[in-house]
Amino acid sequence: MRLAGHYRTLVKMLAVSLIAVLLSGCSSNWGWYVVSPMTKSGMNNLLFLIGGLKYTLLLSVTAIMISVVVGLLVALPGLSENRALKLFNRTYVECIRAIPILVMILWVYYGLPQIADIQIGVFWAGVLALALSDSAFQAEIFRAGIQSIHRGQYEAARSISLSYTDTMRFIILPQAIKRILPALGNQLVYMLKMSSLVSVIGMQELTRRANELVVTEYRSLEIYTILIVEYLVLILIVSAGVRWLERRMRTDEGS
Amino acid sequence: MTDLASDARSAGRTAPIIELIGVNKWFDDFQALKDINLAVLPGEKLVVCGPSGSGKSTMIRCINRLERHQSGRIIVDGTELDDDEKNIRTVRQEVGMVFQQFNLFPHLTVLENLMIGPQRARKMTKAQARERAELYLERVHIPEQADKYPSQLSGGQQQRVAIARSLCMEPRIMLFDEPTSALDPEMISEVLDVMTELAESGMTMVCVTHEMGFAKRVADTMVFMDAGEIVESADPETFFGNPRTDRCQRFLQQILGH
Ligand SMILES: Nc1ncnc2c1ncn2[C@@H]1O[C@H](COP(=O)(O)OP(=O)(O)OP(=O)(O)O)[C@@H](O)[C@H]1O
Ligand SMILES: [Mg+2]
């Protein structure tokens, strides 16, 4: 509840600073007409910018779903006693983690079709690059989460003859996921921000649209301010959602 | 240390349900079990005691393969424990285990804790598993706690749930590793009572415990371990009345002392 209090204060502070910026827009330096819903062209511009939300969301959510699955599949061998499996985990994590996301996006979009005989669109190139980059971090989060579950839980599960898969699925992962939920939420926020990089290969998400509008309207200050607000609102909503989920999962354990 | 095995053989009628033959176990360089020979007959109650670090837990954990022994043979209900995962699961279906720290699944209700084994490992339907869970919850005298989470129960209740969880698999053998050591004194007897009832029902039991009152009441055979070896094994009367070795004598004096 204290956290929720802090959160409310934060939102208030943001709202105040936002109003300050908007008010200062009345002075001659600002040209809010470019996105004014009062005029037809302003309205069009505004809708064009907001329309990117759909792609930013689609891109990030698809990518994070893939990266969670891949991350888990990479984390499990890392927890094994087997040397070779452990080595696979370490190699994957260290290598993927070392590649800057922007570079990964460029390589997947321009490079991958040349070595593998595939046609890859902007959207899926973006998803793949983001998911790949994120999966290394997900793998580390899952590994730490699973490792934090007491050994007695495995032993109890094995002693009632549950298989490895059932032990993971019904006993270990539900507890581990509850613990790593804050970290997964962070990762989602991070993903939403990183998706802006996919603009470089022409994906019409939030950032790309802002860039395109700036080129035709020459109003970078207003348009990029709108862009910031878009990300801010999006991420505040997502964070609130994650927090709600955390609270819910905590209460259904009765502790 | 082979007198148990030979007892079993001379008894003739029944073959042991648990048999350890020349079992050795190392943790890196440290030898935790040294040439362990042990035979437990169906329905027999074996109580294992000994000083801390003597290898009691390690020994019984080898019986359901929570620890892997490096040499010797362990045969449980006709199945030899080796690296074959199938054999290990066969044995675990027949062997229940109760831990010092309960190890209940905190994210599941009491009933769900009991149902998961029958459902997943015995392939029972939800309704069948539920019926069985309710039956065994009644056996440990806490049917009214079915829908609570483990954290809402007292230690004694949690341990009884843990016993019921194992019983739901309908094992032929139950292993107990100091089941009352983590409990407040006033809760020990409720758990021992359940164990005594279980013993009376004819279950084969191997209990590591320092509850000597319980041991005298239910044990058919007492085993004393020290430094990874079985130093002494005898019926309770001989064991408590006339221990052969100094080490065992000293241990019993300490534990029964005052
Ligand atoms: N996983 C492990 N790795 C290394 N050494 C271990 C491990 N488990 C047990 N040991 C060692 O093996 C020896 C026997 O341990 P064990 O737990 O079987 O003793 P115990 O008789 O059950 O003692 P206690 O009464 O304290 O439970 C101890 O010296 C212990 O330190
Ligand atoms: Mg022990």
Side-chain angles (χ1 to χ4, degrees):
Chain A
M1 289 307 100
R2 265 196 61 202
L3 256 177
H6 284 305
Y7 195 61
R8 233 170 274 136
T9 326
L10 187 73
V11 172
K12 270 183 218 151
M13 276 165 53
L14 285 170
V16 168
S17 42
L18 212 72
I19 289 165
V21 169
L22 292 175
L23 284 179
S24 72
C26 299
S27 81
S28 56
N29 286 338
W30 294 77
W32 282 115
Y33 67 86
V34 69
V35 289
S36 163
M38 302 306 177
T39 69
K40 188 150 176 281
S41 66
M43 190 64 182
N44 279 345
N45 287 345
L46 197 59
L47 288 178
F48 175 70
L49 287 176
I50 294 174
L53 208 58
K54 183 177 138 197
Y55 294 102
T56 292
L57 266 176
L58 218 56
L59 202 58
S60 312
V61 171
T62 317
I64 200 123
M65 287 195 304
I66 296 175
S67 76
V68 162
V69 174
V70 175
L72 176 59
L73 292 179
V74 172
L76 292 177
L79 295 159
S80 142
E81 306 273 291
N82 184 310
R83 272 253 181 81
L85 290 177
K86 258 195 181 133
L87 187 68
F88 161 76
N89 167 277
R90 285 328 301 162
T91 314
Y92 184 95
V93 170
E94 296 299 339
C95 290
I96 297 288
R97 209 160 55 171
I99 305 169
I101 299 182
L102 183 55
V103 177
M104 182 76 96
I105 291 168
L106 294 171
W107 189 86
V108 168
Y109 187 59
Y110 296 110
L112 196 58
Q114 291 187 27
I115 50 164
D117 189 23
I118 48 161
Q119 292 284 321
I120 191 163
V122 174
F123 179 78
W124 287 108
V127 165
L128 190 61
L130 289 176
L132 222 55
S133 295
D134 194 50
S135 66
F137 294 94
Q138 297 285 2
E140 289 296 87
I141 291 172
F142 270 106
R143 192 170 61 91
I146 293 171
Q147 265 172 345
S148 79
I149 303 300
H150 191 259
R151 201 167 68 128
Q153 293 287 305
Y154 292 88
E155 294 180 348
R158 299 326 287 278
S159 80
I160 54 169
S161 186
L162 294 188
S163 66
Y164 173 78
T165 328
D166 282 350
T167 303
M168 279 295 162
R169 182 167 153 211
F170 294 104
I171 308 303
I172 306 302
L173 283 177
Q175 297 184 62
I177 286 172
K178 202 176 289 186
R179 277 188 206 179
I180 62 179
L181 210 57
L184 292 182
N186 263 343
Q187 230 32 48
L188 178 57
V189 166
Y190 190 64
M191 184 69 97
L192 285 165
K193 298 201 291 184
M194 290 308 118
S195 70
S196 64
L197 290 171
V198 185
S199 63
V200 298
I201 55 172
M203 181 72 216
Q204 287 259 325
E205 41 65 75
L206 289 173
T207 304
R208 176 73 177 198
R209 288 182 181 225
N211 278 336
E212 287 180 2
L213 205 59
V214 165
V215 172
T216 55
E217 297 284 354
Y218 305 108
R219 274 286 166 195
S220 35
L221 177 58
E222 292 78 7
I223 292 169
Y224 286 134
T225 305
I226 293 282
L227 183 59
I228 287 181
V229 174
E230 285 177 312
Y231 279 113
L232 199 60
V233 170
L234 179 61
I235 285 167
L236 286 179
I237 291 173
V238 167
S239 308
V242 171
R243 247 171 265 264
W244 173 81
L245 199 65
E246 272 172 51
R247 263 201 310 279
R248 245 200 62 167
M249 291 186 84
R250 212 174 308 140
T251 47
D252 69 25
E253 199 171 298
S255 52
Chain B
M1 293 330 95
T2 50
D3 41 336
L4 249 183
S6 57
D7 269 3
R9 243 168 266 122
S10 64
R13 299 184 311 274
T14 37
I17 191 168
I18 304 172
E19 205 169 6
L20 280 72
I21 306 164
V23 170
N24 289 291
K25 158 113 195 117
W26 287 266
F27 291 109
D28 299 318
D29 290 339
F30 176 77
Q31 187 166 8
L33 295 180
K34 296 171 191 159
D35 190 33
I36 299 288
N37 290 290
L38 186 74
V40 184
L41 295 177
E44 187 174 353
K45 283 84 186 136
L46 191 86
V47 170
V48 183
C49 61
S52 180
S54 57
K56 308 180 295 293
S57 298
T58 307
M59 183 177 80
I60 73 165
R61 288 159 58 84
C62 280
I63 296 174
N64 70 347
R65 194 64 168 198
L66 289 180
E67 301 288 356
R68 183 180 176 280
H69 61 286
Q70 281 102 350
S71 76
R73 303 177 63 194
I74 300 180
I75 301 150
V76 181
D77 199 16
T79 307
E80 172 145 14
L81 281 169
D82 47 30
D83 286 330
D84 188 345
E85 189 67 26
K86 207 167 126 260
N87 288 350
I88 297 173
R89 288 199 67 189
T90 308
V91 166
R92 283 185 181 151
Q93 296 218 345
E94 299 307 326
V95 181
M97 181 150 194
V98 175
F99 303 87
Q100 185 176 347
Q101 300 296 339
F102 326 141
N103 296 341
L104 292 177
F105 308 131
H107 61 300
L108 301 179
T109 64
V110 166
L111 211 56
E112 287 166 345
N113 265 276
L114 269 56
M115 286 164 64
I116 183 100
Q119 272 185 284
R120 301 305 306 178
R122 291 271 196 225
K123 306 289 176 222
M124 291 172 80
T125 66
K126 202 168 172 187
Q128 289 171 318
R130 188 184 190 89
E131 196 179 329
R132 188 179 276 191
E134 280 165 352
L135 174 77
Y136 284 105
L137 214 47
E138 200 127 348
R139 276 276 184 93
V140 298
H141 315 302
I142 35 175
E144 71 283 0
Q145 311 288 358
D147 296 317
K148 290 200 180 158
Y149 285 92
S151 59
Q152 296 166 316
L153 303 183
S154 73
Q157 291 172 328
Q158 290 189 47
Q159 192 60 299
R160 284 186 284 155
V161 172
I163 294 173
R165 177 176 64 184
S166 287
L167 291 179
C168 274
M169 293 295 291
E170 308 214 312
R172 298 195 61 198
I173 300 162
M174 286 286 286
L175 308 174
F176 293 84
D177 191 359
E178 305 205 34
T180 57
S181 303
L183 295 176
D184 293 335
E186 72 271 18
M187 293 172 187
I188 291 177
S189 68
E190 66 187 53
V191 171
L192 291 181
D193 287 348
V194 166
M195 290 171 64
T196 308
E197 286 163 25
L198 190 62
E200 284 161 1
S201 78
M203 177 71 75
T204 308
M205 291 165 65
V206 180
C207 312
V208 175
T209 181
H210 290 153
E211 293 295 330
M212 288 305 152
F214 169 80
K216 282 176 185 164
R217 229 170 28 245
V218 308
D220 298 311
T221 310
M222 295 294 305
V223 166
F224 172 73
M225 289 185 74
D226 193 16
E229 292 172 302
I230 292 183
V231 176
E232 195 150 336
S233 80
D235 61 278
E237 211 169 315
T238 322
F239 184 84
F240 289 109
N242 190 16
R244 271 190 305 109
T245 59
D246 277 355
R247 280 196 276 185
C248 188
Q249 242 164 32
R250 251 179 290 128
F251 177 77
L252 284 176
Q253 260 163 21
Q254 256 177 24
I255 195 162
L256 298 170
H258 16 248

